[in-house]
Amino acid sequence: MTDPAEIDVTIVDGYVDEPAHFGVPPYISTYPRYTAGALVDAGVPEERITYHTIDALRDDGSRWRDVEDADLLIYVGGMTVPGNYVGGTPAEPDEVRRIAWTAEGVSMIGGPVRFGVGEANEGASETARDDLDFDFMAMADVEAAAYDLVHNGLEGFEDRYRGVPEETRWAKQGAFVVEQHPNHPEYILAELETSRGCPYRCSFCTEPMYGDPDFRPPESVVDEVAALADHGVSDFRLGRQADILAYGGDGEAPNPDALRELYSGIREVAPDLDTFHLDNMNPITVVKWPELAREGIRIIAEHNTPGDTAAFGLESADPLVQDENNLNVSAEECFQAVKIVNEEAGFRPGGDPDSAPNFGDDAAPQLPKLLPGINLVHGLKGERSETFEHNKQFLQRVYDEGLMLRRVNIRQVMAFEGTDMADTGAEIANDHKQQFKQYKREVRETIDNPMLQRVAPPGTVLPDVHLEYHEDGYTFGRQLGTYPLLVGIPGERDLGRIIDVAVTGHGYRSVSGVPYPLDLNAASMDELTEIPGIGDQTAGNIVVDRPHESVGEIAPDAALERFVAETSEKSAD
């Protein structure tokens, strides 16, 4: 019998992206944390547990020795929605196979990869179940499998789901593993689970495979946050649930009291947190129980940090597609939900909540507290040419009615075994690919760009932007949070720095900006000409006439005061 105290374990994180769970850096999902906690609970000492991300293995070949030498190698990963990623690159099937082939000890694979594996993480694709050459594949909870495998002397386990008591223990006991993440401590955001499962059965979604919602009590989540905070985490997202408004209730109706206990409890144990966001909110919950939903949304906006996004799964505004795919919300219902979130949480810090949604020249220079985002999926059963028009008309109506969306996600379906889309597969998506590309471009031009100007007008301040990469003479970075804006800043700056940025211009899904507050006596020409109203001549005059004692003496009509320090003569030399 293998003694757990003598086992060396390596956990490799290939990243996850599910309908209600995200774990691509700077996010860290629950899977590696809970798996580490389960191992500790089973008797494996913390010091014998090593954690690597797939990117860390790519960057440092010596880390593969930990894969090779481990008595137990556990791979967690799996992408069940398509996406494009900046902070990390999810593992490809060949890389996962290499992990299995390299491991000389017992190897196990788990996470959403159990639903299927595609050749690439992209829409309009089909998947197949594949063990990728591991000794064991966890077809239920990988953390429960890890616990049982260790208890059984590494000889096997029965697939099962863990219960809330186990989850509560493992979430706390596994918090230590965040310290081994390459982004720790400053650029890591912990995904938090409040529930799994969904009462609805949309044709393409893997979340119903977890069953009906099963909620963690507030104290379980709060204790996890406290443990993560003790290990240096200050950024959190309640992202692991199908519907945050349904938390603590019957699975469908809102429970404001449970939300209040959850949100206030997190704030109490992590008073110095930097980010507190959420992800999924079901629009049908908002329109079926509007007053309870409004109260819940107000509670969220009271405790969260600005720039938060409630992802709405409209999926399609076409009634035919809605019917054939068992989608639970109509375009009209989704519109009403968008309106309610705007009214209750579309205000900006320093702005008037009673006049929400706040935007325009008089709006406070921060992102709104909470806005809806719209998810649209293409390639579903019943899709036709008119489907694309229905979706565009819905989005245009939201804009024309003076409301705000934080972002619009447009994807093509990934078909997984066990969902109703398995028989249809990617056939419809592939047939409509050309129309899909044209439609997506139109939405980016006619909706995304003007909407982004409404959400983050010039002068909007984005605190704590983490600088990530260089491209075409710009440095790009993001804040931590749900769907953070990609920000391009002129010049090549030291990566890894954290700076505040004021927005100067807009793309389709990104913005340009300058460091805030900008020092006129030190700013470059490129920085100065990024500011709206400042051309080459004015920028040249600013540089030639340095030092300056005040903003007003330079270009009083250019609204410079939104971007620069009021006085900056101390930096003249």
Side-chain angles (χ1 to χ4, degrees):
M1 189 72 173
T2 305
D3 182 357
E6 300 298 323
I7 295 175
D8 289 317
V9 184
T10 296
I11 300 170
V12 176
D13 187 351
Y15 312 143
V16 302
D17 191 354
E18 301 181 81
H21 198 177
F22 192 57
V24 181
Y27 286 79
I28 182 170
S29 74
T30 65
Y31 290 109
R33 294 164 15 221
Y34 290 8
T35 299
L39 293 167
V40 171
D41 201 30
V44 180
E46 286 185 13
E47 61 270 19
R48 287 184 171 269
I49 300 172
T50 300
Y51 166 76
H52 292 308
T53 66
I54 186 65
D55 282 313
L57 291 181
R58 293 173 181 135
D59 293 342
D60 183 356
S62 68
R63 297 175 186 264
W64 283 90
R65 284 198 295 270
D66 294 327
V67 175
E68 181 179 1
D69 296 342
D71 300 305
L72 174 60
L73 181 285
I74 301 175
Y75 173 83
V76 294
M79 322 300 283
T80 62
V81 294
N84 296 309
Y85 311 102
V86 175
T89 303
E92 295 290 342
D94 285 347
E95 292 179 305
V96 183
R97 290 188 186 94
R98 180 188 172 192
I99 292 170
W101 297 338
T102 302
E104 294 188 352
V106 175
S107 63
M108 181 176 72
I109 185 171
V113 67
R114 68 188 177 91
F115 293 125
V117 180
E119 288 306 309
N121 180 43
E122 60 186 13
S125 63
E126 300 175 9
T127 63
R129 297 192 191 277
D130 190 343
D131 64 12
L132 297 173
D133 298 331
F134 285 73
D135 296 326
F136 297 103
M137 185 170 195
M139 292 302 295
D141 278 332
V142 63
E143 54 266 41
Y147 179 88
D148 294 344
L149 185 60
V150 169
H151 259 294
N152 294 335
L154 303 185
E155 294 181 359
F157 57 88
E158 295 292 329
D159 288 311
R160 69 178 179 90
Y161 289 100
R162 37 87 172 156
V164 169
E166 285 180 316
E167 180 181 12
T168 299
R169 293 198 309 273
W170 297 346
K172 291 174 59 178
Q173 291 172 303
F176 75 94
V177 84
V178 298
E179 295 191 20
Q180 298 183 45
H181 194 286
N183 290 28
H184 184 273
E186 291 188 333
Y187 198 36
I188 185 169
L189 190 152
E191 186 89 324
L192 302 173
E193 177 179 315
T194 68
S195 70
R196 295 190 301 184
C198 183
Y200 305 103
R201 299 293 184 264
C202 299
S203 68
F204 64 93
C205 188
T206 56
E207 190 61 24
M209 294 183 185
Y210 291 102
D212 290 330
D214 179 25
F215 298 102
R216 298 173 68 186
E219 61 270 19
S220 175
V221 184
V222 170
D223 286 350
E224 179 181 6
V225 171
L228 289 165
D230 286 343
H231 288 283
V233 177
S234 59
D235 301 274
F236 305 93
R237 187 176 83 151
L238 297 169
R240 183 66 183 100
Q241 72 275 313
D243 182 7
I244 187 64
L245 281 183
Y247 173 74
D250 62 4
E252 296 185 46
N255 184 343
D257 290 338
L259 274 175
R260 185 177 292 106
E261 186 176 353
L262 175 68
Y263 269 81
S264 63
I266 290 173
R267 276 291 192 174
E268 184 175 345
V269 298
D272 299 322
L273 61 78
D274 295 316
T275 306
F276 190 12
H277 281 184
L278 63 91
D279 190 9
N280 297 302
M281 181 183 292
N282 198 328
I284 198 64
T285 307
V286 180
V287 292
K288 287 179 71 173
W289 295 276
E291 294 310 313
L292 288 174
R294 284 180 183 272
E295 183 179 355
I297 293 165
R298 288 194 294 269
I299 290 167
I300 293 169
E302 176 186 352
H303 293 91
N304 71 349
T305 54
D308 202 356
T309 307
F312 277 2
L314 171 60
E315 321 305 0
S316 179
D318 184 344
L320 177 62
V321 176
Q322 292 164 6
D323 289 343
E324 293 202 17
N325 295 274
N326 201 32
L327 306 184
N328 63 65
V329 65
S330 69
E332 178 60 33
E333 289 168 329
C334 190
F335 176 82
Q336 295 304 323
V338 167
K339 188 170 185 289
I340 287 172
V341 173
N342 269 260
E343 291 172 348
E344 298 298 339
F347 63 92
R348 304 168 192 264
D352 179 13
D354 294 333
S355 66
N358 301 155
F359 59 88
D361 293 339
D362 296 331
Q366 295 194 53
L367 291 175
K369 288 302 292 294
L370 174 69
L371 292 177
I374 297 295
N375 294 339
L376 297 170
V377 177
H378 287 271
L380 298 176
K381 291 181 289 185
E383 182 174 283
R384 50 193 174 150
S385 295
E386 293 93 327
T387 302
F388 298 90
E389 293 304 317
H390 280 289
N391 288 350
K392 287 190 291 185
Q393 289 168 12
F394 170 82
L395 296 172
Q396 191 64 54
R397 180 187 178 192
V398 171
Y399 183 81
D400 291 345
E401 291 287 339
L403 302 174
M404 290 188 288
L405 298 173
R406 170 55 196 85
R407 60 102 184 106
V408 179
N409 269 358
I410 302 173
R411 298 165 171 160
Q412 289 183 295
V413 71
M414 294 178 75
F416 287 89
E417 184 179 336
T419 69
D420 289 346
M421 277 297 298
D423 292 339
T424 305
E427 179 181 345
I428 297 173
N430 286 321
D431 287 346
H432 295 172
K433 259 196 171 176
Q434 193 57 43
Q435 185 174 5
F436 174 80
K437 290 179 181 179
Q438 179 180 347
Y439 144 87
K440 190 173 182 179
R441 183 171 60 252
E442 289 178 11
V443 171
R444 298 299 181 229
E445 293 172 352
T446 62
I447 299 297
D448 281 338
N449 181 265
M451 186 67 78
L452 190 52
Q453 294 183 50
R454 180 178 289 178
V455 171
T460 300
V461 177
L462 307 177
D464 301 328
V465 173
H466 296 251
L467 304 184
E468 295 185 280
Y469 66 94
H470 299 134
E471 186 175 294
D472 298 331
Y474 279 74
T475 302
F476 288 86
R478 298 176 297 169
Q479 296 174 291
L480 280 168
T482 300
Y483 304 104
L485 286 170
L486 184 64
V487 188
I489 306 153
E492 294 198 351
R493 303 166 188 277
D494 292 338
L495 301 183
R497 290 181 57 204
I498 303 172
I499 65 173
D500 296 346
V501 176
V503 174
T504 57
H506 305 82
Y508 297 151
R509 293 165 66 83
S510 63
V511 296
S512 58
V514 293
Y516 179 83
L518 192 64
D519 186 343
L520 288 178
N521 289 328
S524 69
M525 282 285 291
D526 287 340
E527 289 172 338
L528 291 169
T529 54
E530 281 284 342
I531 298 174
I534 300 295
D536 290 342
Q537 182 173 345
T538 302
N541 291 339
I542 291 173
V543 171
V544 169
D545 295 337
R546 288 170 174 167
H548 301 282
E549 295 184 359
S550 69
V551 176
E553 72 180 37
I554 300 168
D557 298 328
L560 271 174
E561 67 276 0
R562 289 185 292 172
F563 302 94
V564 306
E566 179 57 35
T567 57
S568 49
E569 63 274 6
K570 292 182 180 179
S571 301
D573 53 356

